[in-house]
């Protein structure tokens, strides 16, 4: 999925890239960062499957030459687990976390 696709998705949700006072700011890269943190901290999926899912290039030329597979089944299982995580009730979910509104937090400080 391209950055442009994610940007359009974010805009359709009502978020903006603007720093206007009334703007709800969110950036597509945050989704990637959240996925990477979740996949490393909360799952046992192999590093190779995570990196392929992130569409990262393999820097090591030797490894790149030998890695021919796409780990499709493992990535499919990982995406199903990610969807379950994203769809979980944050209060009842196994991986729940306290979500803090940064503007409210800054105002209260």
């Amino acid at each position: 999925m391209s950055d442009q696709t994610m940007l359009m998705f974010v805009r359709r949700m009502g978020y903006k890239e603007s720093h206007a006072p009334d703007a709800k700011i969110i950036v597509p890269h945050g989704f990637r960062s959240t996925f990477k943190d979740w996949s490393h901290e909360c799952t046992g999926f192999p590093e190779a499957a995570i990196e392929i899912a992130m569409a990262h290039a393999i820097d090591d030329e030797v490894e790149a030459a030998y890695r021919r597979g796409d780990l499709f089944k493992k990535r499919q299982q990982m995406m199903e687990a990610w969807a379950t995580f994203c769809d979980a009730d944050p209060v009842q979910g196994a991986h729940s976390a306290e979500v803090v509104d940064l503007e409210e937090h800054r105002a209260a400080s």
Side-chain angles (χ1 to χ4, degrees), residues 6-16 24 26 31:
M6 286 298 294
L7 185 57
M8 294 310 296
F9 171 71
V10 165
R11 285 180 182 161
R12 285 186 188 118
M13 288 179 9
Y15 291 91
K16 305 171 181 122
K24 296 186 294 182
I26 190 169
F31 289 99

Side-chain angles (χ1 to χ4, degrees), residues 1 4-5 10-11 21 25 29 31 51 54 59-60 73 75 78 81-82 89 104 106 109:
M1 186 178 302
Q4 212 45 36
T5 300
V10 165
R11 285 180 182 161
I25 301 170
H29 189 75
F31 289 99
E51 292 303 308
M54 301 271 311
D59 291 334
D60 185 307
K73 290 285 188 198
R75 289 188 297 122
M78 185 169 40
W82 174 241
D89 182 344
E104 290 177 16
R106 287 181 186 136
S109 297

